[in-house]
Amino acid sequence: MGDLAKLVRFLDNLNGRDKIARTLQYGAKFLAWYLVASNKAEVSKRFVALETSSAMARKLFRLAKSISLIQSAAKTYKEENDPLIKSTTVVQQLCLALWLAYDHAIWAGKLGLVQTDIAAHSKKSNSFWLVSMIMGVIKNTYLLQQTQRLVAETNKANALESLRKRQVEFILELLRNLFDIPIPLSALSPRLQISPGLVGLSGLFTSFIGIYQVWSRLN
């Protein structure tokens, strides 16, 4: 009953539903690529439709999230003392806020709610997303180094256990940022010829990390 109750809380959680939709989105993208590569283009259309509908649903889940990100950036700027953590976190959160703002403008444009330059907005959106991930890589690499230093200096069992848990969190965040980089990069740099299969697989992997993170934070 405990796991079932936790599953209900997970599905009732907006982040939980977003992570499920994200898994469907990138899983469908990978399968669509695989089916086209296997000369089953007709079947792949079903997964292209699933990818598109999942992506559109996620945009609804994230409405107004830019506001909370800006508030979080302001709080970090006021309260954080470490200059590297402060700068990378503030830039990361502001870039995420701008990424989502442009992403919602694209969504509104596709629905015909407003007239917008979807191609230009998509480029800006992916640029801000890419910068946010680079900031995340720098920040979590630094946090891992700092935590490892504390681990080496600590001989208390309780403190050591807490530090190890934090290390796992930083590693997961680092992996999530690193493996998500091909997604905006594929849109920004077509010359790199990043395979849709690689984009789908990267997104699927980071979606599983996201699911684990949301699940592990539920009591």
Side-chain angles (χ1 to χ4, degrees):
M1 288 298 291
D3 286 343
L4 180 59
K6 192 171 183 178
L7 178 61
V8 171
R9 291 198 302 276
F10 177 85
L11 295 174
D12 195 44
N13 184 294
L14 189 61
N15 282 334
R17 292 197 298 273
D18 177 63
K19 295 300 180 286
I20 294 294
R22 193 181 195 275
T23 303
L24 289 173
Q25 177 188 348
Y26 287 105
K29 187 177 189 70
F30 174 74
L31 287 172
W33 167 82
Y34 176 77
L35 288 166
V36 168
S38 303
N39 295 317
K40 297 178 181 178
E42 195 63 33
V43 181
S44 75
K45 291 179 182 178
R46 302 174 189 173
F47 292 97
V48 171
L50 177 59
E51 177 198 350
T52 302
S53 59
S54 298
M56 294 295 279
R58 293 186 62 225
K59 296 182 193 301
L60 277 175
F61 294 152
R62 298 180 306 211
L63 277 175
K65 191 173 180 180
S66 291
I67 298 171
S68 65
L69 285 164
I70 292 170
Q71 289 176 330
S72 182
K75 183 179 179 182
T76 301
Y77 183 79
K78 289 179 182 178
E79 298 179 1
E80 180 58 57
N81 294 320
D82 188 299
L84 191 143
I85 295 175
K86 176 188 283 190
S87 57
T88 53
T89 302
V90 169
V91 172
Q92 181 184 31
Q93 291 172 330
L94 290 177
C95 283
L96 285 173
L98 289 166
W99 161 56
L100 289 175
Y102 278 109
D103 200 44
H104 286 124
I106 294 166
W107 169 74
K110 286 182 176 179
L111 290 178
L113 300 175
V114 295
Q115 287 188 342
T116 184
D117 188 337
I118 292 176
H121 281 12
S122 179
K123 186 175 182 179
K124 290 176 182 176
S125 175
N126 281 301
S127 296
F128 284 121
W129 190 18
L130 180 60
V131 172
S132 76
M133 283 186 279
I134 293 170
M135 292 298 105
V137 169
I138 295 170
K139 180 180 71 175
N140 285 289
T141 301
Y142 174 75
L143 287 169
L144 272 171
Q145 291 173 342
Q146 295 296 98
T147 309
Q148 185 57 44
R149 180 179 59 79
L150 291 173
V151 167
E153 296 173 354
T154 301
N155 50 24
K156 294 181 180 179
N158 290 340
L160 194 59
E161 183 181 357
S162 176
L163 288 169
R164 292 296 188 194
K165 286 181 179 179
R166 290 180 64 191
Q167 279 184 317
V168 171
E169 292 173 6
F170 298 147
I171 289 170
L172 289 175
E173 279 296 313
L174 180 60
L175 288 173
R176 199 155 64 91
N177 281 294
L178 282 171
F179 279 87
D180 265 345
I181 285 175
I183 301 173
L185 204 58
S186 67
L188 291 169
S189 302
R191 291 181 181 179
L192 291 177
Q193 297 183 336
I194 298 175
S195 162
L198 176 60
V199 172
L201 202 58
S202 296
L204 187 60
F205 175 66
T206 56
S207 295
F208 286 140
I209 292 177
I211 287 174
Y212 172 79
Q213 289 175 313
V214 175
W215 179 268
S216 62
R217 289 167 188 161
L218 294 174
N219 296 321

